[in-house]
Amino acid sequence: MDGDRVISLNEGGLSRRNALKATATGAALGGAFALSVQPVQAQTMITTPADGLTAGAVKVKTKDGKEMDAYRAMPASGQAFGTILVVQEIFGVHAHIADLCRRFAKAGYYAIAPELYFRQGDPKAITDTQALLREIVAKVPDEQVMGDLDATVAFAKGEGKADTAKLGITGFCWGGRIVWLYAAYSSGLKAGVAWYGRVVGDSTPMTPKHPVDIAKDLKAPVLGLYGGADTGIPNDTVDRMRAALKAGSPAAQKSQIDTYPDTPHAFNADYRPSYRKEQAEDAWKKALAWFKANGV
């Protein structure tokens, strides 16, 4: 899966050295890393060139008339591409999420990652993870996210290149949880892939339900990819999710969760020490196969 990756970070031609110097503030969406995760682990960081792609930042009109930034990538020629929503980690749409969009585009998809915290603030500019969780992430309502994902699908359809009847969603960490929720919410979704997303939690006004609560209502099958040594997502909670899926809708029963033994949280985050190359490459192949098998 790494054969076409080179050291140019994005379509703007940034070298790796210059990209790592870039700050989130003032940088183009997807062109820098979030401040709270710097310095990045450059020796394992995967970068995907934009040659043969149309890639970059776009503006998505939301249902309440606002403009939401998003990073979008697709093959430069052709049309009717399967469509994949890429949902950010807690750090927002930084360089890693943009790179994932380009990876999907290299596989023939129209991939788009909306900046889902934009009403609450810029997550990439906050230097402390706990402050990020407290000041931005905790203030983002699930209902808002569902609506903004719908708006992103409408934008993709309006561009005329994406086939939104072949709709998939994938997400990482915070975004992994969102994948489960959107699979229960959206009647137009074909499949989801959730990477180490929390499945249980307290009910709050912002997050009234969690994946284990809505598993029975899934409208599209989801592949869960989890680490067996994830200290933030205990294995027993993942087992609870498996049980809930077995007792759920046909789409829930078709879903599956794969756990990689002795593997930490964020094992796909190649710019962080948590990255595990073998597991990440295997999970990527499984994700692509899952989308293909389920009509995306």
Side-chain angles (χ1 to χ4, degrees):
M1 61 179 264
D2 295 330
D4 61 358
R5 309 248 171 95
V6 298
I7 295 180
S8 173
L9 180 65
N10 62 23
E11 65 276 17
L14 288 176
S15 70
R16 175 174 295 188
R17 179 181 177 187
N18 289 337
L20 298 185
K21 288 181 178 178
T23 62
T25 305
L29 188 74
F33 284 89
L35 294 179
S36 57
V37 296
Q38 293 190 39
V40 300
Q41 188 161 292
Q43 63 268 32
T44 58
M45 187 177 73
I46 296 170
T47 55
T48 304
D51 58 297
L53 304 179
T54 298
V58 293
K59 298 282 188 181
V60 173
K61 184 66 68 69
T62 62
K63 294 179 179 179
D64 56 359
K66 298 182 183 298
E67 281 195 333
M68 174 173 59
D69 288 333
Y71 186 92
R72 181 265 287 120
M74 61 181 163
S77 61
Q79 58 185 355
F81 307 119
T83 307
I84 296 181
L85 299 171
V86 180
V87 187
Q88 65 210 42
E89 307 163 300
I90 63 167
F91 309 109
V93 183
H94 62 167
H96 176 62
I97 299 300
D99 195 85
L100 287 164
C101 288
R102 294 195 297 276
R103 295 179 209 182
F104 278 115
K106 290 283 186 179
Y109 288 102
Y110 176 112
I112 183 166
E115 182 56 88
L116 295 166
Y117 305 159
F118 81 100
R119 294 177 181 82
Q120 284 73 33
D122 181 3
K124 298 179 295 301
I126 295 180
T127 58
D128 177 72
T129 301
Q130 291 305 311
L132 169 60
L133 290 168
R134 182 175 62 251
E135 296 172 16
I136 293 184
V137 180
K139 299 177 180 178
V140 180
D142 289 340
E143 183 179 8
Q144 170 189 297
V145 173
M146 298 298 107
D148 286 347
L149 288 171
D150 281 351
T152 305
V153 175
F155 171 86
K157 184 176 182 179
E159 280 214 292
K161 295 290 187 178
D163 183 353
T164 55
K166 300 175 182 177
L167 179 64
I169 185 171
T170 194
F172 305 80
C173 183
W174 181 88
R177 174 181 173 274
I178 295 301
V179 167
W180 292 109
L181 298 185
Y182 197 69
Y185 163 86
S186 173
S187 59
L189 189 70
K190 292 292 187 184
V193 178
W195 303 69
Y196 34 83
R198 188 164 51 95
V199 292
V200 302
D202 296 329
S203 178
T204 72
M206 298 293 103
T207 59
K209 293 185 178 181
H210 295 279
V212 74
D213 304 316
I214 52 80
K216 65 183 185 301
D217 302 319
L218 291 192
K219 298 179 175 67
V222 175
L223 170 64
L225 300 167
Y226 287 78
D230 189 330
T231 58
I233 304 176
N235 289 324
D236 66 320
T237 66
V238 178
D239 289 339
R240 283 178 57 191
M241 187 65 184
R242 286 192 178 98
L245 291 170
K246 288 180 180 178
S249 66
Q253 293 177 33
K254 190 177 179 181
S255 300
Q256 70 181 60
I257 297 177
D258 292 353
T259 298
Y260 291 94
D262 304 317
T263 302
H265 187 74
F267 62 83
N268 189 64
D270 50 74
Y271 64 99
R272 294 163 65 186
S274 59
Y275 178 58
R276 298 294 183 270
K277 184 177 186 291
E278 181 179 350
Q279 293 91 321
E281 291 182 351
D282 183 71
W284 177 255
K285 292 174 184 176
K286 286 181 178 178
L288 292 179
W290 185 262
F291 284 132
K292 184 176 181 180
N294 288 287
V296 179

